[in-house]
Amino acid sequence: MYNSKIIGLGKYVPDNVVTNDDLSKIMDTNDAWITERTGIKERRWVKEGSGDTTATMGVKAAKMAIERAGISKDDIDFIVFATLSPDMYFPGPGVQVQHALGIKTVGALDVRNQCSGFIYALSVADNFIKTGMYKNILVIGSELHSHGLDKTTRGRGVSVIFGDGAGAAILTREENNKKGILSTHLHSQGEHAEELVLKAPGMGTRWVNDILADNNEDDESYFPYMNGQFVFKNAVVRFSEVIMEGLMANGLQKEAIDMLIPHQANLRIAQFIQNKFGLTNDQVFNNIQKYGNTTAASIPLALTEAWEEGKINTGDTVVLAAFGSGFTWGSAIIKW
Ligand code: ACO
């Protein structure tokens, strides 16, 4: 039985910066509302014609992670790609990464767990390595939200929050089972599936021909819907639970946390968790101010930047935690 550890991290965000003031020119919103409620000041939105897609952004982040890991693409045994915004309905972007990077015909798995996507993807990769099945796994979280948002006043409750970007990690085998990813913890509660949802097009609900046949300009079914306050209330409870679950599984107290990287859903959620666990500003990493909520990309983007800024060091206990649509939530406890 092995552990897995992260040996390379990478990121990519599109150049196009969209500030809160930019948004106030296209919908009825303002910097004060967005900053106060979410902490977000700006986000990146892919510019039409730039060529960036969920898959290409994932590839760019992956290249950086592979280089930093000091391995070759030929060393990669498996790919796991988390996203809610794939380039195509099917196949998912994992195979696009395999092709674009010229990786041999290894398996490519697509994970659809929204904001918890990266934790789920990490858990799969970790367990494939723990069993000895694979040695090096490329894990990616990438999202292109901006093409699918309702950028009118009608959609402002959702569209101001989300941003585009990608992050990636290389996991490898670790022989010392006191190092690397110690454990991961995954949960779901499908009774709340429709509280944060993109319903159409869906084979079981409304497919494209239904939308076209209705030709209804008030149709909101193909835009994301979020019951914001309900999501917020559940998020703060589940974040706390799943962090405690991870700590307890490893015989750790909350004082053991050196760095908490919460999914960047809302700065207020992160601050609530920080207070609850008695952590200082240096013990929690946030970059939602610059990127908004990038869903499956948010944890690898934040982890990469925390590492780049020297905030994660060998021996640190790093906790990752996420909550989102599904509802799904999860945590990972890592000894760096
Ligand atoms: N600009 C200005 N006013 C706005 C905007 C906006 N962008 N959006 C909504 N409003 C208005 C509303 O219309 C409402 O007006 P009213 O009182 O006249 O009806 C008022 O502001 C308050 O709206 P609420 O939705 O109640 O605002 P709330 O304080 O709940 O904040 C928010 C909304 C930021 C979305 C918050 O609920 C939140 O962060 N929820 C959690 C989000 C989250 O964690 N998502 C999970 C991850 S996402 C994933 O998994 C894909």
Side-chain angles (χ1 to χ4, degrees):
M1 185 91 174
Y2 305 102
N3 260 10
S4 76
K5 69 175 173 192
I6 294 172
I7 54 163
L9 288 163
K11 64 169 185 183
Y12 175 79
V13 290
D15 295 335
N16 187 36
V17 177
V18 178
T19 66
N20 294 343
D21 288 337
D22 293 333
L23 292 182
S24 69
K25 291 176 193 132
I26 57 171
M27 63 182 82
D28 181 10
T29 190
N30 57 75
D31 177 52
W33 192 96
I34 300 171
T35 306
E36 190 186 309
R37 297 293 217 286
T38 70
I40 300 166
K41 297 302 282 184
E42 57 188 47
R43 71 286 293 139
R44 305 296 177 98
W45 278 0
V46 165
K47 240 200 167 97
E48 207 78 42
S50 69
D52 280 337
T53 70
T54 293
T56 66
M57 292 193 290
V59 165
K60 286 176 182 165
K63 280 184 178 163
M64 189 186 280
I66 292 168
E67 199 189 314
R68 287 173 168 177
I71 63 164
S72 151
K73 65 177 173 60
D74 300 321
D75 298 323
I76 293 170
D77 303 313
F78 196 66
I79 300 163
V80 192
F81 198 126
T83 189
L84 64 63
S85 52
D87 293 6
M88 301 181 278
Y89 196 84
F90 71 82
V95 298
Q96 292 173 275
V97 171
Q98 178 270 330
H99 176 60
L101 289 178
I103 296 174
K104 54 189 188 285
T105 57
V106 302
L109 176 71
D110 296 294
V111 167
R112 294 197 44 176
N113 287 85
Q114 300 67 250
C115 292
S116 312
F118 190 79
I119 303 267
Y120 270 74
L122 202 69
S123 179
V124 169
D126 174 48
N127 282 288
F128 270 137
I129 291 175
K130 280 195 163 92
T131 61
M133 183 157 172
Y134 296 123
K135 188 166 175 224
N136 298 308
I137 302 185
L138 167 60
V139 185
I140 300 172
S142 179
E143 304 285 1
L144 200 174
H145 285 303
S146 58
H147 282 186
L149 298 171
D150 178 359
K151 301 190 191 88
T152 68
T153 297
R154 183 181 67 178
R156 66 184 178 174
V158 172
S159 56
V160 302
I161 297 170
F162 291 98
D164 304 335
I170 300 290
L171 266 66
T172 198
R173 184 181 291 172
E174 166 61 58
E175 313 258 339
N176 178 348
N177 65 10
K178 296 202 163 46
K179 283 174 72 177
I181 299 179
L182 303 181
S183 63
T184 54
H185 307 268
L186 308 177
H187 295 276
S188 72
Q189 191 177 17
E191 70 178 289
H192 300 315
E194 297 195 10
E195 303 295 347
L196 179 46
V197 66
L198 177 60
K199 278 195 177 167
M203 298 296 181
T205 50
R206 280 162 64 69
W207 191 241
V208 178
N209 48 352
D210 302 310
I211 295 168
L212 292 174
D214 286 353
N215 192 23
N216 173 9
E217 62 182 35
D218 294 327
D219 188 357
E220 295 178 51
S221 65
Y222 46 83
F223 291 122
Y225 163 79
M226 177 164 71
N227 181 348
Q229 290 187 7
F230 187 75
V231 173
F232 195 108
K233 283 178 196 149
N234 279 267
V236 291
V237 173
R238 298 308 192 183
F239 264 109
S240 306
E241 275 177 14
V242 83
I243 293 168
M244 276 315 297
E245 181 185 352
L247 291 173
M248 283 170 66
N250 294 286
L252 299 171
Q253 307 287 328
K254 60 186 191 328
E255 290 71 26
I257 299 174
D258 293 301
M259 176 56 75
L260 168 66
I261 305 209
H263 161 56
Q264 301 291 289
N266 182 324
L267 193 58
R268 307 298 159 232
I269 295 177
Q271 286 166 337
F272 182 93
I273 305 303
Q274 175 176 337
N275 291 339
K276 181 144 191 194
F277 282 82
L279 301 172
T280 65
N281 289 341
D282 290 337
Q283 290 172 300
V284 184
F285 189 84
N286 292 299
N287 59 8
I288 190 170
Q289 302 91 329
K290 295 190 289 181
Y291 302 131
N293 179 345
T294 57
T295 308
S298 99
I299 288 186
L301 250 179
L303 188 59
T304 301
E305 293 200 339
W307 176 80
E308 286 171 346
E309 292 175 23
K311 293 186 170 159
I312 299 176
N313 298 298
T314 306
D316 282 354
T317 300
V318 178
V319 177
L320 314 179
F323 174 88
S325 164
F327 293 152
T328 59
W329 62 101
S331 65
I333 311 294
I334 306 174
K335 193 77 176 163
W336 207 265

